[in-house]
Amino acid sequence: MLFFTQCFGAVLDLIHLRFQHYKAKRVFSAAGQLVCVVNPTHSLKYVSNRHAVGQTSTEQGSLHSHHPLETVHDPQLIPCMCPLFSCQWEGHVEVVVSHLRQTHRINILHGAEIVFLATDMHLPAPTDWIIMHSCLGHYFLLVIRKQEKYEGHPQFFATMMLIGTPTQADNFTYRLELNRNQRRLKWEATPRSVLECVDSVISDGDCLVLNTSLAQLFSDNGSLAIGIAITVSKVHAAEAEM
Amino acid sequence: MLFFTQCFGAVLDLIHLRFQHYKAKRVFSAAGQLVCVVNPTHSLKYVSNRHAVGQTSTEQGSLHSHHPLETVHDPQLIPCMCPLFSCQWEGHVEVVVSHLRQTHRINILHGAEIVFLATDMHLPAPTDWIIMHSCLGHYFLLVIRKQEKYEGHPQFFATMMLIGTPTQADNFTYRLELNRNQRRLKWEATPRSVLECVDSVISDGDCLVLNTSLAQLFSDNGSLAIGIAITVSKVHAAEAEM
């Protein structure tokens, strides 16, 4: 009898999961899009000296200013810190992907268009939702951060960074799209390089910013579905055609 | 000699104006779009009892809940307050347009797609930029408000409201689009009815929200160009075809 009850429970769980998956797929109508469920990774503990580094890079003018270390001949050998705020790791750009995968257990998705489903949006700030995205011959890092810039008023910041140099990043355009409750919000920009700190991008506010009420309007059962698309930017596509 | 100097000055002014106009037109690439330069109208003085009215309508659930007064047979005879916060005027929906035009000197633009160029974005909060927009047989009110929700951190809130009932508003979709510095931000939603207070829409945060740094990235010489498009919403268009 206990066996049958457990079987019945398992079947119910499967139906529930199938329903959740169906709901997630339904959010974006384009056929064949990959839906990736992303759980919050960790609450970040802000380290004061890393913060100072982030602020300094902002002051230097992070609006796609070329990184001084880009003079290194092979871009893969440029020294790079872990883009996650809580981590003190340092290495070369070429090994950032394996560091993020192995140490932080961040998944890699493949395909130019995917749907990122961030769960448990109600968790207190600071919280991060992170995935890596492999397409067009590069790796990209998508970060959604819940943070209280103004005490008691958490906001969501979403940005995409290229795991590569600012010059490489300039070749691409990324799009983040929210679509629910008869509302649609689209953000398109050139990805920033992972050589700039994620935190400086967020403190600049140069990313998709959502206040809590808007995040609630776009979320379904505490999960926020964000459609992601990466393309080669038009200027560079035109140059390639010439 | 003085005459020639003045003539030369006037010609320079004309060239400058022409250049400003050209720059504004260049923001959005679609040919034949109307660019409307909108100066800040006034700094609003918040009246506490009007604020209470706004809050009550929010508590009643302003997410397109139908207005109790929609039971009045002719929608043009529904009692309506002036949608601007500082004004105590009350009248019927049919005379709101003439009130806004005559008392508040708000201009009316015609055409389904226009560019709204809000000037002097540096002015301290609270400040409003307002126009009326006539298309598809209705009048719409576009409001950009600079407001400090969190002290010392002004934000820009942009929304479009139909001068009509919530049921009429449900037939339309409006789009606001910012496009500059390799960044593009699009907001699409159903307009809210002017019977709901502008302030309740903004306090709900159910509109396009820009922090100061993002507004600076999108603005040019202190002016923010917003592309506006209004369409009949797909559901209603499909019903009309049947």
Side-chain angles (χ1 to χ4, degrees):
Chain A
M1 184 63 196
L2 185 68
F3 174 73
F4 283 112
T5 317
Q6 281 184 339
C7 277
F8 185 64
V11 168
L12 276 184
D13 281 354
L14 274 169
I15 291 169
H16 177 73
L17 276 169
R18 180 83 199 153
F19 179 66
Q20 288 282 350
H21 181 74
Y22 171 74
K23 273 206 298 185
K25 283 195 87 155
R26 210 184 39 182
V27 177
F28 288 84
S29 55
Q33 259 184 333
L34 176 68
V35 179
C36 171
V37 178
V38 184
N39 300 311
T41 48
H42 56 153
S43 290
L44 301 172
K45 286 198 175 75
Y46 291 78
V47 186
S48 58
N49 61 339
R50 282 294 297 269
H51 201 122
V53 170
Q55 279 180 338
T56 313
S57 76
T58 312
E59 281 156 17
Q60 283 167 352
S62 55
L63 193 66
H64 292 285
S65 60
H66 285 201
H67 199 273
L69 288 163
E70 268 195 80
T71 47
V72 174
H73 189 67
D74 183 355
Q76 295 302 312
L77 296 178
I78 293 174
C80 172
M81 289 188 294
C82 174
L84 307 186
F85 215 69
S86 51
C87 175
Q88 299 292 315
W89 180 89
E90 284 187 44
H92 289 144
V93 167
E94 65 172 341
V95 284
V96 171
V97 173
S98 57
H99 164 74
L100 289 168
R101 201 169 184 180
Q102 285 159 18
T103 312
H104 301 289
R105 305 199 169 278
I106 292 172
N107 288 326
I108 299 178
L109 295 169
H110 299 265
E113 292 201 19
I114 54 169
V115 177
F116 177 105
L117 189 72
T119 63
D120 302 315
M121 300 298 284
H122 63 276
L123 286 179
T127 304
D128 273 10
W129 290 258
I130 302 172
I131 51 157
M132 276 186 291
H133 186 180
S134 165
C135 74
L136 303 168
H138 285 270
Y139 287 99
F140 297 84
L141 188 73
L142 178 76
V143 181
I144 302 182
R145 181 170 293 174
K146 187 176 184 178
Q147 191 174 314
E148 287 189 14
K149 261 193 169 180
Y150 319 117
E151 218 183 304
H153 300 282
Q155 287 177 296
F156 294 90
F157 302 87
T159 189
M160 191 151 242
M161 308 191 85
L162 176 86
I163 300 180
T165 65
T167 311
Q168 287 172 328
D170 278 346
N171 296 333
F172 299 98
T173 299
Y174 74 96
R175 190 182 74 217
L176 305 179
E177 184 174 341
L178 298 156
N179 188 358
R180 202 171 173 267
N181 267 329
Q182 294 171 297
R183 287 157 186 82
R184 189 191 296 253
L185 187 63
K186 265 191 206 180
W187 165 258
E188 262 180 50
T190 305
R192 302 283 279 264
S193 158
V194 88
L195 296 173
E196 303 176 59
C197 187
V198 175
D199 195 70
S200 76
V201 176
I202 287 169
S203 64
D204 286 1
D206 184 14
C207 53
L208 177 65
V209 185
L210 287 179
N211 54 36
T212 320
S213 54
L214 214 50
Q216 272 173 353
L217 278 170
F218 282 115
S219 68
D220 184 16
N221 262 332
S223 296
L224 193 70
I226 302 184
I228 307 166
I230 300 175
T231 49
V232 175
S233 49
K234 278 177 192 160
V235 181
H236 296 275
E239 276 172 10
E241 277 170 18
M242 280 168 79
Chain B
M1 185 63 197
L2 186 67
F3 175 73
F4 283 111
T5 316
Q6 281 183 340
C7 277
F8 185 66
V11 167
L12 275 183
D13 281 353
L14 275 169
I15 291 170
H16 177 74
L17 277 170
R18 179 82 198 155
F19 180 66
Q20 289 281 349
H21 181 72
Y22 171 74
K23 272 206 299 184
K25 282 194 89 158
R26 209 185 41 184
V27 177
F28 290 84
S29 54
Q33 260 184 334
L34 176 68
V35 180
C36 170
V37 178
V38 183
N39 299 311
T41 47
H42 55 151
S43 291
L44 300 172
K45 287 197 175 73
Y46 290 80
V47 185
S48 58
N49 61 336
R50 280 298 296 270
H51 201 123
V53 170
Q55 280 180 338
T56 313
S57 77
T58 312
E59 281 155 19
Q60 283 167 354
S62 55
L63 192 68
H64 291 283
S65 60
H66 286 201
H67 199 275
L69 288 164
E70 269 196 79
T71 47
V72 174
H73 190 68
D74 183 355
Q76 296 302 314
L77 295 177
I78 293 175
C80 173
M81 289 188 292
C82 174
L84 307 185
F85 216 68
S86 52
C87 176
Q88 299 291 313
W89 179 90
E90 283 186 46
H92 290 143
V93 168
E94 66 173 340
V95 283
V96 171
V97 172
S98 57
H99 164 74
L100 289 169
R101 202 171 183 179
Q102 285 159 19
T103 312
H104 301 288
R105 304 201 170 278
I106 293 171
N107 288 327
I108 299 178
L109 294 170
H110 300 266
E113 293 201 17
I114 54 168
V115 177
F116 178 103
L117 190 72
T119 62
D120 302 315
M121 299 298 284
H122 63 276
L123 286 179
T127 304
D128 274 10
W129 290 259
I130 302 172
I131 51 156
M132 276 187 290
H133 186 178
S134 165
C135 73
L136 302 168
H138 285 269
Y139 288 98
F140 298 84
L141 188 72
L142 178 76
V143 181
I144 302 182
R145 181 170 293 172
K146 187 175 184 179
Q147 190 173 314
E148 288 189 14
K149 260 193 170 182
Y150 318 118
E151 217 183 305
H153 301 281
Q155 287 177 295
F156 294 91
F157 302 86
T159 189
M160 191 151 242
M161 308 189 86
L162 176 85
I163 300 180
T165 66
T167 311
Q168 287 172 327
D170 278 346
N171 296 334
F172 299 98
T173 299
Y174 74 97
R175 191 182 72 216
L176 305 180
E177 184 174 341
L178 299 156
N179 188 358
R180 204 173 172 265
N181 268 328
Q182 294 172 296
R183 287 158 187 81
R184 190 193 296 254
L185 187 63
K186 265 191 206 179
W187 165 258
E188 261 180 51
T190 305
R192 302 281 280 265
S193 158
V194 88
L195 296 173
E196 303 175 58
C197 187
V198 175
D199 196 69
S200 76
V201 176
I202 286 168
S203 64
D204 287 359
D206 184 15
C207 53
L208 177 65
V209 185
L210 288 177
N211 55 36
T212 319
S213 53
L214 214 51
Q216 272 172 354
L217 278 170
F218 282 115
S219 68
D220 183 18
N221 263 334
S223 296
L224 192 70
I226 302 184
I228 306 166
I230 299 175
T231 49
V232 175
S233 50
K234 280 177 191 160
V235 181
H236 296 275
E239 276 172 11
E241 278 170 16
M242 281 168 77

